[in-house]
Amino acid sequence: MTTQLDTPADLIGLAGQQLGTTEWMEITQPQVDRFAEATGDQQWIHTDPQRAAAGPFHGTIAHGYLTLSLAPVVISDVLEIRELTAALNYGLNKVRFPAPVPVGSKIRAVVTLNAAQQKTSGVEAVFGLTYEIDGGTRPACVADVVVLYP
């Protein structure tokens, strides 16, 4: 289900509400490898399936920052603002990675609008993202993502 709004200012009245849950997304080894190449984080636990099979997670895992970097995708999956000029990444208030994401697993995110307020530069929204792992007992990532809508 997608929450549809006319303008970013409409977010202010939704503060404290859950906006929706994304569809499941599979995390693949090629995706992890591309992220490793882009960031320079080539640690074997992410990029070497043979070595990782004997490691602590019995296979490769996604970078925590790869999971976090899906924030724009998951927010746009549950929120549509019809009259939108831009959505700017303004920062993070808190991020934790309670559980690793095994390559080949599926994740989804529950998106809550923790806060929204009008600022002189636009509407500042704080989204609470909880990334779940299919079949997992702990979230992969819990983050407060701040977006500015000028």
Side-chain angles (χ1 to χ4, degrees):
M1 180 183 102
T2 301
T3 299
Q4 298 181 340
L5 303 174
D6 289 325
T7 69
D10 295 333
L11 286 166
I12 295 168
L14 296 178
Q17 294 184 34
Q18 183 175 310
L19 300 181
T21 302
T22 68
E23 297 294 323
W24 291 105
M25 301 171 273
E26 183 177 359
I27 301 299
T28 67
Q29 189 63 55
Q31 181 183 27
V32 171
D33 292 342
R34 286 190 307 272
F35 190 84
E37 181 66 28
T39 62
D41 183 353
Q42 299 283 343
Q43 186 179 165
W44 62 268
I45 203 160
H46 305 301
T47 61
D48 187 341
Q50 291 177 328
R51 185 173 177 192
F57 304 110
H58 310 291
T60 51
I61 60 170
H63 303 75
Y65 288 126
L66 173 99
T67 305
L68 179 61
S69 73
L70 296 172
V73 173
V74 302
I75 293 170
S76 68
D77 194 39
V78 302
L79 176 64
E80 177 187 341
I81 301 175
R82 292 181 190 98
E83 297 175 29
L84 182 63
T85 304
L88 305 175
N89 176 7
Y90 199 62
L92 303 164
N93 288 343
K94 183 178 179 180
V95 179
R96 296 291 183 267
F97 302 105
V101 177
V103 169
S105 64
K106 293 180 181 178
I107 62 171
R108 69 179 179 186
V110 177
V111 180
T112 302
L113 180 61
N114 291 345
Q117 59 183 321
Q118 185 67 52
K119 301 272 187 148
T120 55
S121 55
V123 174
E124 182 181 291
V126 180
F127 295 95
L129 308 181
T130 302
Y131 293 85
E132 301 173 337
I133 304 168
D134 191 16
T137 58
R138 295 183 320 177
C141 176
V142 179
D144 289 339
V145 176
V146 185
V147 177
L148 180 63
Y149 298 96

XYZ file of all heavy atoms in Angstrom, residues 24-25 27 67 98-102 104-109 130-141:
201
model
N 9.036 -7.537 -0.605
C 10.307 -8.208 -0.333
C 11.265 -7.961 -1.493
O 10.862 -7.961 -2.648
C 10.101 -9.707 -0.155
C 9.370 -10.057 1.100
C 8.077 -10.458 1.207
C 9.884 -10.042 2.435
N 7.750 -10.684 2.522
C 8.847 -10.443 3.296
C 11.123 -9.714 2.988
C 9.002 -10.534 4.674
C 11.282 -9.810 4.368
C 10.229 -10.216 5.200
N 12.544 -7.724 -1.178
C 13.598 -7.517 -2.171
C 14.708 -8.525 -1.900
O 15.190 -8.619 -0.769
C 14.197 -6.115 -2.050
C 13.211 -4.989 -2.219
S 13.963 -3.393 -1.811
C 13.665 -3.370 -0.031
N 18.454 -9.811 -1.954
C 19.812 -9.274 -1.975
C 20.699 -10.298 -2.679
O 20.808 -11.440 -2.225
C 20.331 -8.998 -0.541
C 19.416 -8.006 0.183
C 21.775 -8.508 -0.576
C 19.320 -6.645 -0.468
N 22.355 -2.057 2.837
C 20.976 -2.111 3.326
C 20.463 -0.697 3.598
O 19.387 -0.317 3.147
C 20.892 -2.965 4.602
O 21.441 -4.262 4.336
C 19.465 -3.098 5.091
N 21.295 -4.654 13.725
C 21.194 -5.750 14.689
C 21.474 -7.147 14.140
O 21.869 -8.028 14.890
C 19.743 -5.666 15.179
C 19.298 -4.286 14.858
C 20.044 -3.900 13.630
N 21.250 -7.369 12.836
C 21.440 -8.709 12.280
C 22.025 -8.607 10.878
O 21.673 -7.696 10.124
C 20.110 -9.458 12.241
N 22.907 -9.543 10.511
C 23.457 -9.540 9.156
C 22.417 -9.991 8.133
O 21.501 -10.749 8.465
C 24.610 -10.543 9.245
C 24.206 -11.478 10.330
C 23.426 -10.647 11.312
N 22.584 -9.518 6.892
C 21.704 -9.904 5.795
C 22.457 -10.891 4.913
O 23.351 -10.505 4.165
C 21.269 -8.684 4.955
C 20.414 -9.120 3.768
C 20.529 -7.684 5.814
N 22.121 -12.182 4.992
C 22.801 -13.154 4.133
C 22.473 -12.899 2.663
O 21.332 -12.594 2.317
C 22.215 -14.503 4.580
C 21.595 -14.245 5.918
C 21.169 -12.812 5.908
N 21.311 -13.626 -0.842
C 20.272 -14.565 -1.260
C 19.006 -14.453 -0.439
O 17.978 -15.007 -0.811
N 19.077 -13.738 0.673
C 17.873 -13.569 1.493
C 17.044 -12.411 0.961
O 17.485 -11.626 0.122
C 18.239 -13.340 2.959
O 18.950 -12.143 3.122
N 15.830 -12.307 1.483
C 14.939 -11.224 1.100
C 14.735 -10.309 2.296
O 14.631 -10.771 3.435
C 13.595 -11.776 0.629
C 13.702 -12.552 -0.660
C 12.360 -13.072 -1.097
C 12.529 -13.856 -2.388
N 11.259 -14.428 -2.838
N 14.687 -9.024 1.983
C 14.426 -8.028 3.021
C 13.266 -7.138 2.576
O 12.953 -7.045 1.391
C 15.661 -7.164 3.351
C 16.111 -6.348 2.128
C 16.797 -8.022 3.888
C 17.176 -5.309 2.443
N 12.652 -6.504 3.550
C 11.645 -5.479 3.292
C 11.770 -4.454 4.402
O 12.444 -4.689 5.412
C 10.230 -6.066 3.237
C 9.723 -6.568 4.564
C 8.315 -7.105 4.445
N 7.845 -7.598 5.734
C 6.701 -8.233 5.910
N 5.905 -8.464 4.868
N 6.338 -8.641 7.099
N 11.112 -3.324 4.213
C 11.202 -2.276 5.225
C 9.823 -1.797 5.632
O 8.941 -1.623 4.803
C 12.022 -1.101 4.701
N 12.628 0.220 9.470
C 13.002 -1.052 10.092
C 13.039 -2.093 8.992
O 12.013 -2.453 8.432
C 11.993 -1.465 11.181
O 11.935 -0.429 12.169
C 12.411 -2.774 11.841
N 14.253 -2.527 8.659
C 14.446 -3.532 7.612
C 14.335 -4.919 8.233
O 15.094 -5.252 9.145
C 15.824 -3.401 6.980
C 16.047 -2.137 6.195
C 16.462 -0.957 6.809
C 15.880 -2.125 4.812
C 16.691 0.197 6.083
C 16.113 -0.974 4.078
C 16.518 0.183 4.716
O 16.754 1.329 3.995
N 13.404 -5.701 7.723
C 13.190 -7.070 8.206
C 13.811 -8.060 7.235
O 13.853 -7.807 6.028
C 11.691 -7.348 8.308
C 10.945 -6.412 9.240
C 9.439 -6.603 9.185
O 8.916 -7.119 8.165
O 8.776 -6.225 10.166
N 14.273 -9.186 7.769
C 14.814 -10.274 6.955
C 13.769 -11.379 6.935
O 13.271 -11.787 7.996
C 16.131 -10.821 7.538
C 17.156 -9.694 7.701
C 16.677 -11.956 6.664
C 18.370 -10.075 8.527
N 13.431 -11.867 5.760
C 12.447 -12.940 5.624
C 12.901 -14.151 6.436
O 13.990 -14.681 6.211
C 12.277 -13.315 4.147
C 11.087 -14.217 3.903
O 10.213 -14.324 4.783
O 11.034 -14.825 2.816
N 12.112 -14.532 7.410
C 12.449 -15.655 8.275
C 13.337 -15.291 9.445
O 13.640 -16.136 10.284
N 13.751 -14.045 9.534
C 14.641 -13.618 10.615
C 13.866 -13.215 11.860
O 12.674 -12.923 11.804
N 14.572 -13.209 12.971
C 13.942 -12.820 14.236
C 14.321 -11.406 14.667
O 13.639 -10.828 15.503
C 14.336 -13.799 15.357
O 15.766 -13.815 15.475
C 13.817 -15.202 15.057
N 15.429 -10.885 14.124
C 15.860 -9.527 14.459
C 15.928 -8.699 13.181
O 16.188 -9.238 12.104
C 17.244 -9.543 15.111
C 17.268 -10.250 16.450
C 18.624 -10.188 17.088
N 19.691 -10.368 16.105
C 20.976 -10.307 16.369
N 21.379 -10.074 17.574
N 21.866 -10.479 15.427
N 15.732 -7.415 13.277
C 15.833 -6.578 12.074
C 17.276 -6.503 11.574
O 18.223 -6.613 12.354
C 15.336 -5.213 12.531
C 15.453 -5.212 14.007
C 15.369 -6.637 14.464
N 17.419 -6.292 10.276
C 18.739 -6.121 9.677
C 19.272 -4.722 9.950
O 20.466 -4.525 10.143
C 18.667 -6.357 8.174
N 18.365 -3.756 9.958
C 18.763 -2.358 10.125
C 17.582 -1.592 10.702
O 16.431 -1.821 10.302
C 19.179 -1.772 8.772
S 19.606 -0.027 8.774
